[in-house]
Amino acid sequence: MNLGLTGRKAIVCASSRGLGKACAAALAAEGVAVVVNGRDPDRLAATADEIRKATGSTVTVVAADVATEAGRERLLAACAEPDILVTNNGGPMPGRFEDWDHAAWLAALEANLLAPVLLIRAVVAGMRARRFGRIVNITSAMVKAPHPAMGLSTAARSALTAVCKGLSKDVAGDNVTINNLLPERIDTDRQRFMAQVRAATVGITIEEAYAEMTRSIAANRLGTPEEFGAACAFLCSAHAGYVSGQNLQLDGGSYAGVY
């Protein structure tokens, strides 16, 4: 399927590795000029080279922290009129409710609520005026299935989900869509880190932690970054203009609920 994205421009946040990188690569493969972003300049440059060689698309590098105003300004300076915005950022560390002080809550909200909201605010009016816009937020399965250890992430990302649901109704008439991708057990560096945490906590090997994860997934395997990127690309496509305000779970069919 031709996704109708050739010549479009995208900002993909936190895309030097993992899920953000997968989304940037999938969009570039469809002819989108992408701005990739991360805080490690060397890793970011390597990612950009990899995507350029694989797709032939234009890839612009912006080393910046999207949780800061200066970082967001650098992204927008590199692509003032994006057709596509993919928001993403590293999630807070798992932990215990009693250990999360005022500063921990504020940091989670800055990184996973305010950073994406302020980027959306900066670009959505232009998308509406041009009558094309695709906004995809990479959030978490914890939005719909909270876990006590992930309370910081759940709180910030649930708030983002609520804000964007309301906004999606306001902008849909101008062919601007806002959707959320909810990953669960995608095989990335983040997942390996979570396996290491689990292994250290209960005294098992990393391989045993991975086996536990696999057993928790109905598909009996972890998802791939490529599968995640493909879902993002479709939501950004010309064919997805009637899909907005949705939470798409990428979890191998594991979610136990109906809604």
Side-chain angles (χ1 to χ4, degrees):
M1 178 186 291
N2 183 337
L3 297 186
L5 291 175
T6 301
R8 296 291 186 184
K9 297 176 290 185
I11 295 173
V12 185
C13 300
S15 48
S16 64
R17 61 181 177 177
L19 301 180
K21 176 182 176 181
C23 293
L27 290 170
E30 295 296 326
V32 177
V34 297
V35 174
V36 295
N37 157 248
R39 291 178 293 179
D40 182 332
D42 292 337
R43 184 191 297 273
L44 188 60
T47 291
D49 286 342
E50 181 182 336
I51 294 175
R52 288 189 196 103
K53 290 175 182 176
T55 67
S57 284
T58 300
V59 182
T60 302
V61 170
V62 176
D65 182 353
V66 297
T68 67
E69 184 176 357
R72 293 188 291 273
E73 287 176 352
R74 293 190 66 186
L75 274 175
L76 295 167
C79 185
E81 296 186 339
D83 303 295
I84 295 164
L85 171 65
V86 180
T87 77
N88 184 35
N89 208 358
M93 288 282 288
R96 303 185 308 162
F97 180 81
E98 55 267 34
D99 294 333
W100 296 328
D101 60 11
H102 191 212
W105 286 105
L106 289 179
L109 294 173
E110 284 285 357
N112 300 118
L113 169 62
L114 296 178
V117 162
L118 291 171
L119 279 170
I120 292 168
R121 178 176 179 268
V123 304
V124 73
M127 290 178 172
R128 297 183 75 176
R130 297 187 297 275
R131 297 196 60 78
F132 184 93
R134 300 289 185 262
I135 297 169
V136 176
N137 301 304
I138 300 175
T139 63
S140 169
M142 299 298 108
V143 168
K144 294 186 72 173
H147 187 283
M150 303 299 291
L152 292 174
S153 174
T154 302
R157 287 169 164 153
S158 296
L160 175 64
T161 302
V163 170
C164 287
K165 179 63 177 180
L167 181 60
S168 70
K169 296 180 178 182
D170 199 32
V171 302
D174 294 317
N175 191 31
V176 177
T177 67
I178 309 176
N179 293 291
N180 308 301
L181 291 175
L182 282 58
E184 172 76 351
R185 305 303 191 199
I186 310 296
D187 195 7
T188 63
D189 290 345
R190 170 74 172 178
Q191 202 59 60
R192 183 164 188 83
F193 169 76
M194 297 301 288
Q196 291 170 340
V197 170
R198 173 65 176 167
T201 300
V202 300
I204 60 177
T205 67
I206 292 176
E207 290 71 23
E208 288 170 330
Y210 265 106
E212 279 188 356
M213 291 178 185
T214 300
R215 289 193 296 271
S216 74
I217 299 297
N220 200 35
R221 66 176 178 87
L222 272 64
T224 70
E226 292 77 16
E227 289 172 316
F228 190 90
C232 179
F234 177 75
L235 288 178
C236 295
S237 75
H239 309 295
Y242 207 59
V243 180
S244 194
Q246 302 303 307
N247 294 290
L248 177 60
Q249 292 171 260
L250 289 96
D251 63 358
S254 299
Y255 177 60
V258 176
Y259 301 110

